[in-house]
Amino acid sequence: MMMVTERNPLTEEKCNRIINTLLDDFNGSKKMINHSRQVALVLELSASSGLRIGEVLSLSFADFSCGEDDEYYVNYADQKMRCKTMAAVPSACYRDIYRYVMKCKVATLGKLFDVDMRTIRGYLIKACEKLDYRGIRTYHFRKLYFGIKCVR
């Protein structure tokens, strides 16, 4: 019996284009702009650190820490293993999150993002429709991280 493996339709280039579309092209109400920027950060953090979307949504700014040589980490509760775990966060992603926290005056001990899974899916669908991408779901961002990590 042959195992069927799904090929990830999300590439680094597509990921960057989706995130840039979320950051630039949604010019509606302040709430819509705020939500699209949060969704972009959630997807960027998932793609760059391998966290599940639910794990990202449960983070607070206090979960981030700085190691030696400007290495950044996030402490999070792994949904599958039910334990506390640490993941590396690229400095560019950390800087984006830091700017977001300072600009939006997010409480450092509360939840970092005030969007839910449904909102993330909705904005991802809108961005993918605008870019004419098909079959991209939220879990593909996490899979992108592990695909890149395994290749390098």
Side-chain angles (χ1 to χ4, degrees):
M1 179 177 231
M2 193 168 95
M3 230 173 89
V4 177
T5 58
E6 178 189 12
R7 193 169 153 266
N8 192 352
L10 186 65
T11 62
E12 283 184 80
E13 179 187 345
K14 286 182 179 180
C15 177
N16 290 332
R17 289 188 69 197
I18 290 169
I19 289 170
N20 288 334
T21 300
L22 287 166
L23 290 173
D24 299 334
D25 292 348
F26 287 94
N27 52 3
S29 65
K30 284 186 178 183
K31 183 178 180 180
M32 181 181 263
I33 292 169
N34 184 29
H35 280 179
S36 68
R37 290 188 177 149
Q38 286 186 57
V39 170
L41 282 174
V42 168
L43 295 176
E44 180 183 6
L45 187 56
S46 179
S48 62
S49 63
L51 274 69
R52 294 174 183 87
I53 301 295
E55 294 165 348
V56 174
L57 292 176
S58 67
L59 293 176
S60 71
F61 192 64
D63 294 328
F64 290 85
S65 61
C66 182
E68 297 176 11
D69 300 325
D70 286 336
E71 295 172 339
Y72 297 98
Y73 299 94
V74 63
N75 295 304
Y76 68 99
D78 189 300
Q79 288 178 339
K80 298 285 183 193
M81 304 303 270
R82 295 196 165 100
C83 63
K84 282 295 218 178
T85 309
M86 183 181 285
V89 176
S91 58
C93 186
Y94 176 79
R95 283 192 300 272
D96 290 343
I97 290 170
Y98 182 79
R99 271 188 238 115
Y100 161 73
V101 167
M102 293 300 128
K103 182 178 178 185
C104 298
K105 297 175 179 49
V106 174
T108 56
L109 297 177
K111 280 178 50 177
L112 198 55
F113 303 105
D114 65 348
V115 294
D116 58 7
M117 187 65 86
R118 187 177 189 161
T119 305
I120 292 171
R121 285 187 188 120
Y123 277 92
L124 178 59
I125 288 168
K126 288 178 187 176
C128 288
E129 284 174 355
K130 189 170 191 135
L131 296 168
D132 199 32
Y133 294 157
R134 304 257 185 265
I136 295 176
R137 304 289 180 259
T138 54
Y139 67 89
H140 287 120
F141 288 84
R142 183 171 190 261
K143 285 179 71 173
L144 178 66
Y145 168 79
F146 287 106
I148 294 169
K149 182 180 172 187
C150 293
V151 170
R152 289 184 182 162

